[in-house]
């Protein structure tokens, strides 16, 4: 029951972020200012997530085309997030991979390069989101291409990418038909056990 109530609270404050964007003509900065007026940090951050999700959706040309898009015009996709700090930057980075892939037609190499403009936990968050959600969804049944794509993350993040791709597969991001699939037998032998463990699978996973 507690988990259900917590989820409802999260969705409530997340929805406030979406609503702020609609009220303030999709102006991200003004919407964030209203989120920041909420009394607790957790409320603020879930509100921020609604603001940045709404802004990410505006990159889809079919998404309510009559609405203004003041923060989607820059050629530098990462600039908005780089201007932020703290919880605002964290939530902005969460939705950055969606924007990159929407604007660049599924160019994962460019997506990883954009993630690398951030440092530390923000860079890691960007790569995790890219790997967990988008690589499995994009390549579906082509596990070899998923492994190949993770090499674009570079040596420092390749294994992180593989781990989160496997997690994504396991929760159905590559389609329900692939939920029991594994990329782990396609990776370097030295990493196979960690790959399986990262997704909560056993070493003898079929």
């Amino acid at each position: 029951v507690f988990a259900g109530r917590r989820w409802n609270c999260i969705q409530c404050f997340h929805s406030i972020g979406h609503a702020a964007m609609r009220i303030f003509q999709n102006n991200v900065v003004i919407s964030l200012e209203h989120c920041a007026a909420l009394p607790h940090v957790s409320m603020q951050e879930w509100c921020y997530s609604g603001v940045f999700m709404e802004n990410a959706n505006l990159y889809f040309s079919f998404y309510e085309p009559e609405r203004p898009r003041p923060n989607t015009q820059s050629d530098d996709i990462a600039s908005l997030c780089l201007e932020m700090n703290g919880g605002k930057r964290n939530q902005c980075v969460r939705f950055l991979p969606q924007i990159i892939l929407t604007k660049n037609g599924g160019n994962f190499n460019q997506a990883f390069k954009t993630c690398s403009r951030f440092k530390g936990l923000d860079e890691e968050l960007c790569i995790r989101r890219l790997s967990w959600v988008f690589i499995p969804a994009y390549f579906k049944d082509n596990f070899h291409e998923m492994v190949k794509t993770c090499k674009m993350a570079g040596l420092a993040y390749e294994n992180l990418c593989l781990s989160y791709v496997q997690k994504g597969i396991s929760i159905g991001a590559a389609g329900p038909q692939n939920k029991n699939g594994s990329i782990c037998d396609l990776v370097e032998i030295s990493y196979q056990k960690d790959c399986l463990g990262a997704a909560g699978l056993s070493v003898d996973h079929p």
Side-chain angles (χ1 to χ4, degrees), residues 3-54:
R5 288 178 179 172
R6 181 178 183 276
W7 179 246
N8 288 339
C9 287
I10 288 170
Q11 289 304 302
C12 177
F13 293 111
H14 177 80
S15 297
I16 290 173
H18 282 278
M21 285 285 280
R22 289 177 174 272
I23 292 168
F24 299 110
Q25 300 296 304
N26 295 325
N27 186 304
V28 168
V29 174
I30 295 175
S31 298
L32 292 174
E33 288 174 355
H34 283 77
C35 289
L38 291 167
H40 297 290
V41 172
S42 59
M43 296 175 183
Q44 294 166 8
E45 292 192 349
W46 284 111
C47 184
Y48 298 155
S49 76
V51 170
F52 288 117
M53 177 184 279
E54 189 68 22

Side-chain angles (χ1 to χ4, degrees), residues 102-119:
T102 300
K103 196 162 184 176
N104 292 332
N107 186 332
F108 282 94
N109 189 45
Q110 184 61 45
F112 281 115
K113 285 181 178 178
T114 303
C115 288
S116 72
R117 294 179 63 187
F118 299 86
K119 302 304 176 188

Side-chain angles (χ1 to χ4, degrees), residues 73-93:
Q73 307 306 314
S74 174
D75 291 332
D76 185 356
I77 296 172
S79 61
L80 180 65
C81 296
L82 289 166
E83 292 169 5
M84 304 292 163
N85 52 48
K88 294 185 183 75
R89 177 179 284 196
N90 182 270
Q91 294 299 331
C92 187
V93 168

